[in-house]
Amino acid sequence: MRVVELFSGAGGMSLGLKQAGFDIVRAYDAWPVAVENYNRNIGSHAKVTDLGDILSVVPELLRLAPDLICGGPPCQDYSSAGRREEADNAKLTLAFGILVATVRPTWFVMENVTNAAKSSTWQEARKVLKAAGYGLTESKIDASRYGVPQSRRRLFVVGRQGERDGFLASSIAAAATQPMTLRDMFGSTVPAAMYFPATSDARRSIWGPDEPAPTIRERSIRPLPVSYRPHPDDAALVENGFVYARPVRAGRGVRSIDEPYPTVTRTASERPGPKYLSSPHPADPIAASSTAVLTIDQISRIQGFPAWWKWEASSKRDILQMIANAVPAPVAASIGRAILDREEGRSTPEIQGGFLQWLVRRGRSRQSARNTKSLAGRARRLLSGRTFSVLALELAALESAEEFKAMKRNPQSDLRQALRLLAEYQAEGHQRRKRPRQIDAQPIEELAKAA
Ligand SMILES: C[S@@+](CC[C@H](N)C(=O)[O-])C[C@H]1O[C@@H](n2cnc3c(N)ncnc32)[C@H](O)[C@@H]1O
């Protein structure tokens, strides 16, 4: 699938989608430093462009005809830490919606802070996207459950032409794992990069664990050298066991490596200031002054950038800004895989248990309700996981499925009826978003005891 990214920054989202198997054909961002870093690390298809000037990009976008447009429009105006008023930047969310609605790719993905969901600009953009025929899945996810040791809550909106709202929510929820901790990333005995001796000087020999290895040849199979030691900065972090993260509002500043790190911001490499040191949070397990300080390389990895990624900018502040802005690549890769699985008919939307109770409330026996639910699931599989916002289209697609055509009359009408009932249930507003199971974080007292 061909992808165009808007507001690409240095390329966290592009990197993840590329890892999932998408072909990124163009990326746009107004910040030259971010575009340079993108082009150095991902491929030379990012361009410096002001996306507020919609007309200057529409012709090129139409020519590129992407299958998917993705982007994380700038979000500081909705950010819970900053001003709440929705100023110029927030309008770029609307620009994103208008660009998608004009170019009409089959799919789109938009990322933003969770507060954006309540903003009037997103409501406006949402109307534009609905009018352009997109079914929307709006999922709030925590990055620590999608492959990085960071509790970063973000809104992901996935749209696909013609679908029912919520069509991908169960697949995104199903991809969630146990929260990843800093120890999972930095306490590993597996090296952050691997050595595959190159066959010529033009090729590199060091490969990250997040990318496919080069073709394995006999001489590239080497055991891990006994002399291998984790990077000294990682070893120091694990030995210390705690880091400082400047708290938002009056939160806890000291974090254990047995937790995920909080949301990465531009201040992630800061030492605690005098204000925090003189009135630390009562639940801090050790003194903030004794914690390890994260290096830029570690912050970059916590944000999902691989060890081989090269940052260049005239200031540390710019590098931290690009890192903090990014969608962690493993998160984007998870969303990307959920999209590809659906596109290729390998997944179907889950039918909620509530459908069963709804059927029972309408007078069905439990057995008959269970049969109807399983028939609806079968119909979804015959539709290769597609849902249609218009029931008539859903039924027409079912009629044209080869397996359906080969069935006898009665089972055919049972499947039609099951889809009708499911549509009725969903129209009554039962389309819930499934949340990943809540797993309790380790209590802070235990962390303190361990310290
Ligand atoms: C939240 S960041 C996106 C980060 C990106 N998704 C990633 O994964 O690295 C928002 C980006 O929007 C860019 N931006 C802000 N105003 C813009 C404009 N008018 N036109 C294009 N890009 C703009 C910023 O430079 C910033 O890189």
Side-chain angles (χ1 to χ4, degrees):
M1 284 171 79
R2 289 159 54 79
V3 174
V4 166
E5 178 164 10
L6 309 176
F7 310 101
S8 61
M13 176 125 75
S14 280
L15 177 67
L17 291 179
K18 194 171 161 187
Q19 287 167 347
F22 289 82
D23 179 17
I24 320 290
V25 294
R26 178 78 77 233
Y28 303 93
D29 197 282
W31 188 16
V33 179
V35 168
E36 277 162 32
N37 277 274
Y38 184 112
N39 286 339
R40 186 177 314 109
N41 287 288
I42 297 193
S44 54
H45 41 258
K47 271 181 152 180
V48 178
T49 307
D50 175 6
L51 293 167
D53 181 3
I54 294 177
L55 292 180
S56 70
V57 275
V58 164
E60 184 172 67
L61 286 178
L62 289 170
R63 213 171 37 250
L64 288 167
D67 302 301
L68 183 151
I69 291 182
C70 66
C75 53
Q76 48 270 49
D77 292 312
Y78 315 121
S79 145
S80 49
R83 289 178 296 130
R84 278 183 183 257
E85 70 197 75
E86 293 172 36
D88 284 355
N89 263 348
K91 286 275 181 250
L92 293 171
T93 300
L94 184 56
F96 179 89
I98 294 173
L99 284 169
V100 170
T102 309
V103 180
R104 302 230 180 169
T106 308
W107 292 86
F108 79 83
V109 179
M110 190 194 83
E111 179 261 4
N112 221 304
V113 292
T114 52
N115 278 351
K118 290 183 273 176
S119 71
S120 59
T121 319
W122 166 239
Q123 292 313 321
E124 234 178 299
R126 198 178 186 286
K127 273 190 210 138
V128 171
L129 290 160
K130 288 301 297 172
Y134 287 96
L136 305 178
T137 291
E138 295 169 73
S139 295
K140 289 181 184 169
I141 66 160
D142 179 345
S144 71
R145 291 166 176 280
Y146 292 84
V148 285
Q150 185 189 161
S151 342
R152 183 186 188 87
R153 297 228 332 124
R154 286 293 182 268
L155 169 71
F156 279 85
V157 183
V158 182
R160 189 186 190 188
Q161 277 288 341
E163 295 277 343
R164 281 177 196 281
D165 288 343
F167 67 98
L168 201 63
S170 57
S171 294
I172 293 177
T177 64
Q178 292 278 343
M180 185 177 184
T181 67
L182 289 168
R183 189 189 294 280
D184 292 335
M185 174 169 273
F186 296 109
S188 164
T189 50
V190 177
M194 280 166 260
Y195 178 59
F196 297 100
T199 44
S200 85
D201 287 349
R203 292 169 178 269
R204 64 193 161 114
S205 297
I206 303 296
W207 294 74
D210 305 309
E211 53 184 339
T215 309
I216 300 292
R217 297 167 208 285
E218 201 185 337
R219 71 194 193 91
S220 46
I221 302 172
R222 304 272 175 91
L224 189 64
V226 279
S227 58
Y228 172 75
R229 296 281 174 275
H231 191 285
D233 292 336
D234 294 355
L237 172 63
V238 172
E239 195 183 334
N240 183 305
F242 294 91
V243 286
Y244 172 74
R246 193 210 276 184
V248 182
R249 297 186 208 97
R252 180 162 54 91
V254 177
R255 302 280 164 164
S256 160
I257 63 162
D258 291 309
E259 305 174 78
Y261 189 80
T263 303
V264 164
T265 64
R266 259 193 340 228
T267 63
S269 66
E270 241 180 35
R271 282 221 130 295
K275 193 167 160 225
Y276 190 85
L277 291 174
S278 62
S279 66
H281 193 277
D284 277 354
I286 66 166
S289 54
S290 310
T291 56
V293 180
L294 294 175
T295 62
I296 290 197
D297 177 59
Q298 287 169 336
I299 298 165
S300 169
R301 281 187 281 150
I302 291 171
Q303 188 67 313
F305 288 99
W308 51 262
W309 190 275
K310 287 265 170 298
W311 290 108
E312 265 176 42
S314 55
S315 72
K316 185 174 158 186
R317 190 188 155 86
D318 278 356
I319 294 180
L320 285 165
Q321 182 69 65
M322 285 183 278
I323 296 175
N325 278 352
V327 172
V331 177
S334 286
I335 304 274
R337 281 192 293 271
I339 291 174
L340 285 179
D341 281 350
R342 188 59 59 81
E343 169 74 19
E344 288 160 16
R346 289 190 296 265
S347 80
T348 49
E350 189 185 286
I351 298 170
Q352 294 100 17
F355 180 45
L356 215 134
Q357 274 96 52
W358 180 84
L359 289 165
V360 171
R361 279 200 304 280
R362 290 179 48 131
R364 299 284 185 109
S365 70
R366 282 204 80 75
Q367 187 53 46
S368 143
R370 266 198 293 273
N371 286 347
T372 304
K373 184 172 179 239
S374 111
L375 283 166
R378 172 132 194 244
R380 282 264 175 275
R381 287 192 291 283
L382 290 181
L383 291 167
S384 306
R386 282 226 56 174
T387 67
F388 292 79
S389 58
V390 177
L391 176 63
L393 291 179
E394 198 153 78
L395 293 173
L398 185 68
E399 305 284 344
S400 61
E402 288 307 320
E403 206 180 315
F404 184 86
K405 284 192 218 160
M407 286 177 173
K408 298 230 162 69
R409 246 162 205 264
N410 280 352
Q412 279 185 338
S413 91
D414 289 347
L415 285 175
R416 276 191 216 100
Q417 178 62 358
L419 269 190
R420 273 195 206 101
L421 285 165
L422 181 60
E424 203 181 318
Y425 164 75
Q426 286 171 331
E428 285 183 18
H430 296 285
Q431 185 114 309
R432 278 179 295 122
R433 284 172 211 105
K434 193 182 166 201
R435 284 171 182 279
R437 194 163 50 89
Q438 197 58 45
I439 298 161
D440 289 338
Q442 200 174 352
I444 192 65
E445 293 75 30
E446 276 177 32
L447 298 174
K449 232 186 273 162

